[in-house]
Amino acid sequence: MDNNVSKTNKVSLSIVAEAAGVSKMTASRVMRGEGGYSEKTREKVMAQVDALGYLPNRLAPLLAGDTTSTFVGVSIPDLGNEVFAQVLEGIDQKLGSHGYQTVLGLTQHTLEKEESWIETVLSWQPAGLILTGRSHSRRALDLLMNAGLPIVEIWDLNSSPLDMNVGLAHFDSGYEMGRYLVRLGYKAFGYVGTSHDTANAASRRLEGFSKAVSDGGGTLVRQFCLHDTANFYPGFYGTEQLLASGAKVECIYFQNDSMAFGGFQYCERIGLSIPRDIGIAGWGDMPISSVLRKRLTSIHVPHLKLGQAAAEAMVSRLKGEAVIDSRDIGFSLVPGQTVREL
Amino acid sequence: MDNNVSKTNKVSLSIVAEAAGVSKMTASRVMRGEGGYSEKTREKVMAQVDALGYLPNRLAPLLAGDTTSTFVGVSIPDLGNEVFAQVLEGIDQKLGSHGYQTVLGLTQHTLEKEESWIETVLSWQPAGLILTGRSHSRRALDLLMNAGLPIVEIWDLNSSPLDMNVGLAHFDSGYEMGRYLVRLGYKAFGYVGTSHDTANAASRRLEGFSKAVSDGGGTLVRQFCLHDTANFYPGFYGTEQLLASGAKVECIYFQNDSMAFGGFQYCERIGLSIPRDIGIAGWGDMPISSVLRKRLTSIHVPHLKLGQAAAEAMVSRLKGEAVIDSRDIGFSLVPGQTVREL
DNA sequence: TTGAAAGCGATACCAA
DNA sequence: TTGGTATCGCTTTCAA
């Protein structure tokens, strides 16, 4: 009378056990291969596993609280910015190689989206969380504290992380670029970037840059922050706006290389020669730079490695190994050919 | 750093209920706001929810089988190819706006990784799966059949999808480009792409292109498939190899615009003028094209929309609404300025 | 080497 | 408007 043909052809462990003529427990032991059964039993069970296409339900042991889950929540601002795509790729690669899966959350740079994503993902009992950025909403912080699971905050270097931290000193990278450009003799600068919340890493780069410029006696004449993704076209368009504003700038600092390339293209389009007429500096040392005749003056950051290091920190912690709380992934200046020489 | 959290301060519904002096069921009703309780009771319960920082465990109702989960597995080949990053962004945006979350799987273009990811993700009872590509390993197919949940296969247009399908006719898009270029008078072609499994969409574009070329009396003189990501540098390097091989080509067809731009840069580097000396055609009408003085001759594909449409199909199905099994997202030829004129 | 029973957290169902 | 009980799939604990 009982057609086990219910709409979901769920094959559970007890069905397998029954078919194999053993108890649930025995079947469970065989599945986990932890010993305590005869070879003959193993064969009987495995035969049914294959025949029925049994796939364990990992939610059950998780509920029972014996195990910790194998997925890690990862929040990323957006994927239109190639830099974040690379970080995510690094995270997922490394997580995957250790048997963990990525649950993605795109926050679009807003703390509200991050908060609601955190709430949802937490309700699934993830093993841990990897979050981009150091600032979180009040409620998100409460949730995170309460959850008490491993957290890696990436991107920014953070002297007082929630838990673990992998990132780089954005302010310093901006400062170094500013100092470099001032030393080359530039005095009047422009900036083109995108604007999200004010507390993001790009703003901190700009702060560092700005400080270096004023420390060196130069001026940040004008800055344009567009409401857009930090990609090619906004760089192009932002540069158009900057130059059209009448600001006299000798060199433009961009949020990243994609935007810098967009700006580069705009400058050449209107007949400016680079670096003769105007200097261009980016950030990230992104892939496009490798094919340009004039390599972009930029800051090299190992994005993929940053993601991998974050995932490694998470995995180590989950395995109960010792983990360095904070890791500086570093950066280095790439002189390039888009600014004048000394 | 204190790990007073290791014991997981599990606040369960019964703890909340007890603290509020009501039964689990009453507390449950309040949490779900489905009515059937007094205002006073609601207040008592919510006060404890706040005080204890209670967060529901979504795994429990899932286990009981009453609900279907709110996460969708999404497999993507890689994120180094901007095109896929956009598709993923479209998927996650749309999924998120309907309360679903993305569980990411990067397959690195291998069926084996896809298979093992499918197995893992299935064991968490996802609501559905969105898979890139039409080909799956034998075992993956078995798993998918057995799971019996909604599946959207994206990227390729597929006349016999496992379930639902959102994509475009890659062969046709290659054919259209080939025909266009032949009509412009080109006879000898080269191709530069990346090689993964042979059954992927890019190969189908190449097949279509190749057919159009021979139909039009032209020749595909040489093709280079690199083991790399379809990004700028491989396009640059592949073009170098192609031209160094001594093949006489008048026009090069690339796997996508990123590679095409890399090739463009190589050609100009060695003094070739485009399109005077050699023609360049890409695919995808990717963001970089918007800032180039000479827009790339390409095929426009609405990547973000493709991702969104896939997520919409999934959500509709999950809501029990009628869904068109197969959706052609379309493409259109972008003439550009990197090939000769008629 | 095997099995029976309890329990994880939440909800459906039925009772009061 | 409330609460008790069974249940989902699996593992732990304790017995045989």
Side-chain angles (χ1 to χ4, degrees):
Chain A
M1 64 177 261
D2 45 24
N3 315 351
N4 51 8
V5 202
S6 61
K7 69 178 176 117
T8 44
N9 42 356
K10 288 284 176 207
V11 180
S12 72
L13 188 60
S14 32
I15 293 180
V16 171
E18 193 178 0
V22 299
S23 74
K24 263 192 333 180
M25 264 320 297
T26 301
S28 173
R29 290 195 184 96
V30 171
M31 283 308 292
R32 281 171 296 150
E34 46 122 75
Y37 46 80
S38 70
E39 176 58 20
K40 225 179 90 186
T41 305
R42 200 193 67 80
E43 279 165 13
K44 277 193 300 186
V45 173
M46 290 314 287
Q48 289 306 322
V49 166
D50 286 345
L52 299 169
Y54 169 65
L55 203 62
N57 182 338
R58 293 274 157 69
L59 261 31
L62 241 183
L63 217 211
D66 311 316
T67 339
T68 133
S69 75
T70 61
F71 63 84
V72 173
V74 178
S75 83
I76 295 285
D78 76 277
L79 257 19
N81 184 340
E82 193 174 3
V83 148
F84 291 127
Q86 280 182 36
V87 170
L88 177 58
E89 177 136 28
I91 291 175
D92 189 83
Q93 278 175 7
K94 198 52 96 178
L95 240 33
S97 75
H98 286 276
Y100 290 88
Q101 309 289 320
T102 302
V103 178
L104 179 64
L106 258 30
T107 64
Q108 308 296 347
H109 298 87
T110 79
L111 260 35
E112 297 76 43
K113 293 209 178 184
E114 189 196 56
E115 177 186 310
S116 76
W117 174 80
I118 287 176
E119 178 163 7
T120 305
V121 89
L122 239 27
S123 71
W124 297 336
Q125 325 295 113
L129 256 34
I130 297 179
L131 307 174
T132 303
R134 63 178 358 172
S135 52
H136 315 285
S137 74
R138 182 70 242 148
R139 180 166 155 64
L141 287 172
D142 285 346
L143 289 166
L144 295 172
M145 296 311 219
N146 252 288
L149 37 70
I151 296 171
V152 184
E153 286 169 284
I154 61 171
W155 207 225
D156 280 297
L157 207 56
N158 191 332
S159 56
S160 56
L162 253 25
D163 183 8
M164 292 170 283
N165 175 230
V166 177
L168 60 112
H170 288 267
F171 181 95
D172 293 358
S173 75
Y175 193 91
E176 183 159 334
M177 179 59 83
R179 197 177 48 178
Y180 176 70
L181 297 176
V182 164
R183 203 184 302 142
L184 293 181
Y186 289 112
K187 290 264 185 254
F189 296 90
Y191 173 79
V192 176
T194 62
S195 69
H196 300 295
D197 58 313
T198 54
N200 71 159
S203 325
R204 238 153 292 125
R205 298 203 290 273
L206 177 56
E207 284 164 21
F209 182 83
S210 183
K211 175 133 202 313
V213 166
S214 60
D215 282 359
T219 316
L220 183 53
V221 179
R222 185 129 339 160
Q223 24 181 311
F224 270 90
C225 289
L226 310 170
H227 285 279
D228 210 327
T229 319
N231 207 331
F232 302 112
Y233 189 69
F236 183 94
Y237 179 66
T239 303
E240 180 177 17
Q241 289 199 294
L242 178 71
L243 297 182
S245 76
K248 293 275 186 211
V249 303
E250 304 160 343
C251 183
I252 310 179
Y253 178 50
F254 288 86
Q255 183 175 331
N256 68 21
D257 282 5
S258 294
M259 295 193 77
F261 180 71
F264 184 102
Q265 289 300 110
Y266 179 76
C267 290
E268 293 218 318
R269 184 86 63 101
I270 62 170
L272 296 176
S273 166
I274 293 157
R276 197 194 60 200
D277 301 325
I278 193 164
I280 296 249
W283 187 88
D285 192 29
M286 291 163 67
I288 190 171
S289 206
S290 65
V291 303
L292 302 178
R293 188 193 306 243
K294 292 174 185 165
R295 189 174 190 104
L296 290 165
T297 295
S298 187
I299 295 284
H300 176 76
V301 176
H303 299 295
L304 200 71
K305 189 176 148 203
L306 192 158
Q308 292 171 337
E312 267 163 11
M314 176 57 72
V315 171
S316 296
R317 166 63 61 83
L318 291 173
K319 287 184 177 168
E321 299 166 8
V323 182
I324 299 156
D325 278 2
S326 197
R327 175 156 173 206
D328 185 351
I329 205 75
F331 63 82
S332 57
L333 193 135
V334 178
Q337 288 94 43
T338 55
V339 294
R340 70 167 71 121
E341 292 177 21
L342 242 192
Chain B
M1 27 143 213
D2 45 34
N3 269 342
N4 58 0
V5 289
S6 59
K7 223 30 192 163
T8 52
N9 41 356
K10 292 275 184 204
V11 180
S12 71
L13 188 59
S14 32
I15 293 180
V16 172
E18 194 178 359
V22 298
S23 75
K24 265 195 330 183
M25 268 318 298
T26 301
S28 174
R29 290 192 186 98
V30 171
M31 283 310 292
R32 281 171 295 151
E34 46 122 75
Y37 45 80
S38 69
E39 174 58 20
K40 225 178 90 188
T41 305
R42 198 192 69 78
E43 279 165 14
K44 276 193 301 186
V45 173
M46 290 315 288
Q48 290 306 323
V49 166
D50 287 345
L52 299 169
Y54 169 65
L55 203 63
N57 181 339
R58 293 277 154 70
L59 262 31
L62 242 181
L63 216 211
D66 308 319
T67 337
T68 135
S69 75
T70 60
F71 63 84
V72 173
V74 179
S75 83
I76 295 285
D78 76 278
L79 257 20
N81 183 340
E82 193 175 2
V83 148
F84 291 126
Q86 281 182 36
V87 170
L88 176 59
E89 176 136 29
I91 291 174
D92 189 83
Q93 277 176 8
K94 198 54 96 178
L95 240 34
S97 74
H98 286 276
Y100 290 89
Q101 310 288 321
T102 302
V103 179
L104 179 64
L106 258 30
T107 64
Q108 308 296 349
H109 298 88
T110 79
L111 261 35
E112 298 74 44
K113 293 209 176 183
E114 189 197 55
E115 178 185 309
S116 76
W117 174 79
I118 287 176
E119 178 164 6
T120 305
V121 89
L122 240 27
S123 72
W124 295 338
Q125 325 297 112
L129 254 34
I130 297 179
L131 307 174
T132 303
R134 63 178 356 171
S135 51
H136 315 286
S137 74
R138 180 72 243 147
R139 178 165 155 65
L141 287 172
D142 286 346
L143 289 166
L144 295 172
M145 297 311 218
N146 252 288
L149 38 69
I151 296 170
V152 183
E153 285 169 284
I154 61 171
W155 208 226
D156 280 297
L157 208 57
N158 191 333
S159 56
S160 56
L162 253 26
D163 183 8
M164 292 170 283
N165 176 230
V166 177
L168 60 112
H170 288 266
F171 181 95
D172 294 358
S173 75
Y175 193 90
E176 184 160 332
M177 179 60 82
R179 196 177 49 178
Y180 175 71
L181 297 176
V182 165
R183 204 185 301 143
L184 293 180
Y186 288 112
K187 290 263 185 257
F189 296 91
Y191 173 80
V192 176
T194 62
S195 70
H196 300 295
D197 57 314
T198 54
N200 70 159
S203 326
R204 240 155 291 126
R205 298 202 288 273
L206 177 56
E207 284 163 21
F209 182 82
S210 184
K211 175 134 201 314
V213 165
S214 59
D215 282 0
T219 315
L220 183 52
V221 180
R222 184 127 343 158
Q223 24 181 312
F224 271 88
C225 288
L226 310 170
H227 285 279
D228 209 327
T229 318
N231 207 330
F232 302 112
Y233 189 68
F236 183 94
Y237 179 65
T239 303
E240 180 177 18
Q241 289 198 293
L242 178 71
L243 297 182
S245 76
K248 293 277 184 207
V249 303
E250 304 160 343
C251 182
I252 310 178
Y253 178 50
F254 289 86
Q255 182 175 330
N256 68 23
D257 282 5
S258 294
M259 296 193 76
F261 180 70
F264 184 102
Q265 290 298 112
Y266 180 76
C267 289
E268 293 216 319
R269 184 85 62 102
I270 62 171
L272 296 176
S273 167
I274 292 158
R276 197 194 61 200
D277 301 325
I278 194 165
I280 296 245
W283 187 90
D285 191 29
M286 291 163 65
I288 190 172
S289 207
S290 65
V291 302
L292 302 178
R293 189 193 306 245
K294 292 174 185 167
R295 189 174 190 104
L296 291 165
T297 295
S298 187
I299 296 284
H300 176 76
V301 176
H303 299 295
L304 199 71
K305 189 175 148 203
L306 193 159
Q308 292 172 335
E312 266 164 12
M314 175 58 72
V315 171
S316 295
R317 165 65 59 81
L318 291 173
K319 287 184 176 168
E321 299 167 7
V323 182
I324 300 157
D325 278 0
S326 197
R327 175 156 174 206
D328 185 352
I329 205 77
F331 63 82
S332 57
L333 193 134
V334 178
Q337 288 94 44
T338 56
V339 294
R340 70 167 71 121
E341 291 178 22
L342 243 190

